[in-house]
Amino acid sequence: MTSLFERLRAIVGAEACLTRSDELFVYECDGLTLDPVRPSAVVLPRSTEEVARVVRVCSEAGRSFVPRGAGTGLSGGAHPVEGSIVIECSRMNRILEVCPEDRIAVVQPGVVNAELSRAVRTHGLFYAPDPSSQQACTIGGNVAENSGGPHTLKYGTTTNHVLALEMVLADGSVMRLGDASGFAPGYDLVGAAVGSEGTIGIVTEATVRLTPIPESVETLLVIFPDVVSACTAVGGIIRSGLVPAALEILDRRTIAAVEASVYAAGLPREAGAVLIAELDGPACALRAQVDRVTALAREAGASEVRVAHDEAERAQFWKARKGAFGAMGRLAPDLYVHDAVVPRARLPEILARVCEIGDRYGLMLSNVFHAGDGNLHPNISFDRRDPSQLERVMAAGAEILETCVAAGGVVTGEHGVGTEKRDFIGLVFGEADLAAMLRVRDAFDPRKTFE
Ligand SMILES: Cc1cc2nc3c(=O)[nH]c(=O)nc-3n(C[C@H](O)[C@H](O)[C@H](O)COP(=O)(O)OP(=O)(O)OC[C@H]3O[C@@H](n4cnc5c(N)ncnc54)[C@H](O)[C@@H]3O)c2cc1C
């Protein structure tokens, strides 16, 4: 009988079916490096048809499989389980169609997020969801995680930008959800698929909304004595009725890490926190908005407000923000990136609590987060070779999540549940909620073949 690997090679080609131990090593985990598991094989299909055939062969062989994009996920969503096959979509990286009149693009799942915006720029358009990992992560991964980013505050998360999907189900059948017009009748199955973390099907094509590049952008770097006053400023700005494109906070430790790294942007090392506030829209409206944000920030205790003079300075501010996780990689061998949401009104109080928890467990905790969305990222730098450190990291993480939920928040804003937060999902959902979700999953994958 032809072996499973031979059958997979016959579909995708020998070079696109990895089975050697050294090749598989890379696929043991995603950005969550705890608890790695080596898969049996990794296949890299190029088309919907190849994905469907691979899935059929795996199903017939009784093997579970896990879809994967760029592997930048931070919740273990692309982690294999023992014996599973990883189906990596990175070779399905073509932009199939751009229609500026309808402001849509049709893309394969392996298209890198930032590449899409670069490709449609000549039409005066961009793809709005912008995870900080956008230079590497893929649209397929973004759809699966319902990814957000700094500009989610004004433009919404991935779910607000996906109109239609093509998906391969566990039995190898190909299904189309939604419609490019955005007016598909019936159940909103695109809504169910976005954020399903690769548990109901493999996205093989996505029709996404494109957004006009705003006429004008103003980016402010606001300097605060501490992170709590920066959070207070965010509350004031939101309460004022302004809708900034982004409100991002970096705390003192994050500033120090960034300034010691290749992402250094001239942030003031003595500051307790900085707020990057971005406003976009018609040029004639922005001057007044900049003045209003400046006044509100000063009211909350800001010591200085720098307005980017040009595109180069604006890019510099964003380089600091988007490079922050990378910069933290220099602080210790390991980094645990947490993700939780709290009501914005509770930000000052919860940030103070999060810092207290980090201190109490004797951990190096830094915060860089989507403050406008109330989406926290407490990051813990540690060394897993010391078991006591890992134990404290996990205990502190649990306490942070419990604190956020008790404040009316949720256990993940954008990184997903994955393997990381399975044990915490009960903090936000009851048995009946979870049972209903499982029934939705069963409708697509009754044999639970997707991991
Ligand atoms: C430095 C850094 C910064 C980050 N910043 C942000 C941020 O600002 N906002 C944010 O939301 N996230 C952020 N992330 C997390 C991560 O980049 C996102 O979750 C991203 O969407 C994952 O995309 P990926 O292509 O790497 O997917 P992977 O990590 O490969 O997979 C993620 C999930 O998607 C599933 N999947 C992948 N492809 C498919 C497909 N074709 N069909 C069905 N399921 C699929 C996988 O099974 C898995 O469950 C960051 C990560 C890093 C490392």
Side-chain angles (χ1 to χ4, degrees), residues 4-5 8 17-19 24 27 38-43 63 83-87:
L4 172 64
F5 295 164
L8 292 174
C17 177
L18 314 179
T19 52
L24 299 177
Y27 297 90
R38 204 161 292 190
S40 294
V42 176
V43 287
R63 291 299 187 99
S84 65
I85 311 287
V86 171
I87 303 177

Side-chain angles (χ1 to χ4, degrees), residues 19-313:
T19 52
R20 278 201 338 253
S21 168
D22 57 330
E23 295 170 327
L24 299 177
F25 178 67
V26 181
Y27 297 90
E28 284 185 341
C29 63
D30 55 11
L32 179 74
T33 57
L34 301 175
D35 305 322
V37 175
R38 204 161 292 190
S40 294
V42 176
V43 287
L44 299 100
R46 275 194 190 279
S47 64
T48 302
E49 196 214 331
E50 285 187 7
V51 173
R53 288 173 63 199
V54 165
V55 164
R56 244 176 260 130
V57 164
C58 291
S59 288
E60 279 164 25
R63 291 299 187 99
S64 62
F65 36 83
V66 57
R68 182 177 169 113
T72 66
L74 290 167
S75 60
H79 276 212
V81 295
E82 212 62 57
S84 65
I85 311 287
V86 171
I87 303 177
E88 215 220 59
C89 298
S90 62
R91 296 206 313 175
M92 297 176 70
N93 60 359
R94 283 184 302 127
I95 297 173
L96 302 171
E97 187 192 336
V98 175
C99 180
E101 289 78 14
D102 287 335
R103 291 189 190 149
I104 59 162
V106 182
V107 301
Q108 288 190 309
V111 168
V112 169
N113 175 299
E115 288 296 332
L116 178 56
S117 283
R118 277 195 277 275
V120 298
R121 199 181 167 74
T122 51
H123 300 292
L125 298 169
F126 74 115
Y127 179 61
D130 62 336
S132 301
S133 52
Q134 69 184 143
Q135 301 298 339
C137 68
T138 65
I139 299 295
N142 296 171
V143 169
E145 298 290 4
N146 188 20
S147 293
H151 292 87
T152 296
L153 174 59
K154 179 169 182 177
Y155 293 99
T157 58
T158 300
T159 195
N160 303 115
H161 300 270
V162 179
L163 294 165
L165 293 171
E166 179 188 79
M167 210 163 68
V168 171
L169 302 187
D171 61 1
S173 57
V174 180
M175 186 181 182
R176 291 200 77 89
L177 316 175
D179 179 83
S181 68
F183 289 94
Y187 293 115
D188 178 12
L189 295 181
V190 175
V194 178
S196 61
E197 302 190 21
T199 57
I200 64 170
I202 302 185
V203 173
T204 46
E205 192 185 288
T207 304
V208 298
R209 252 184 242 286
L210 300 173
T211 303
I213 296 173
E215 177 189 314
S216 190
V217 180
E218 294 284 359
T219 309
L220 289 69
L221 183 79
V222 190
I223 295 151
F224 288 91
D226 53 62
V227 73
V228 173
S229 51
C231 290
T232 306
V234 166
I237 294 167
I238 298 290
R239 193 172 48 235
S240 76
L242 288 168
V243 185
L247 288 173
E248 299 284 307
I249 291 179
L250 286 71
D251 74 356
R252 186 191 299 277
R253 276 209 185 112
T254 307
I255 295 169
V258 167
E259 288 306 305
S261 78
V262 293
Y263 304 106
L267 303 181
R269 286 170 189 263
E270 67 288 355
V274 294
L275 168 70
I276 298 175
E278 188 155 278
L279 301 152
D280 66 13
C284 60
L286 289 195
R287 192 60 253 166
Q289 292 188 26
V290 169
D291 291 347
R292 185 93 183 96
V293 168
T294 303
L296 289 162
R298 289 209 183 275
E299 242 171 63
S303 58
E304 191 187 339
V305 180
R306 298 180 191 166
V307 182
H309 290 106
D310 51 27
E311 188 51 38
E313 197 175 3

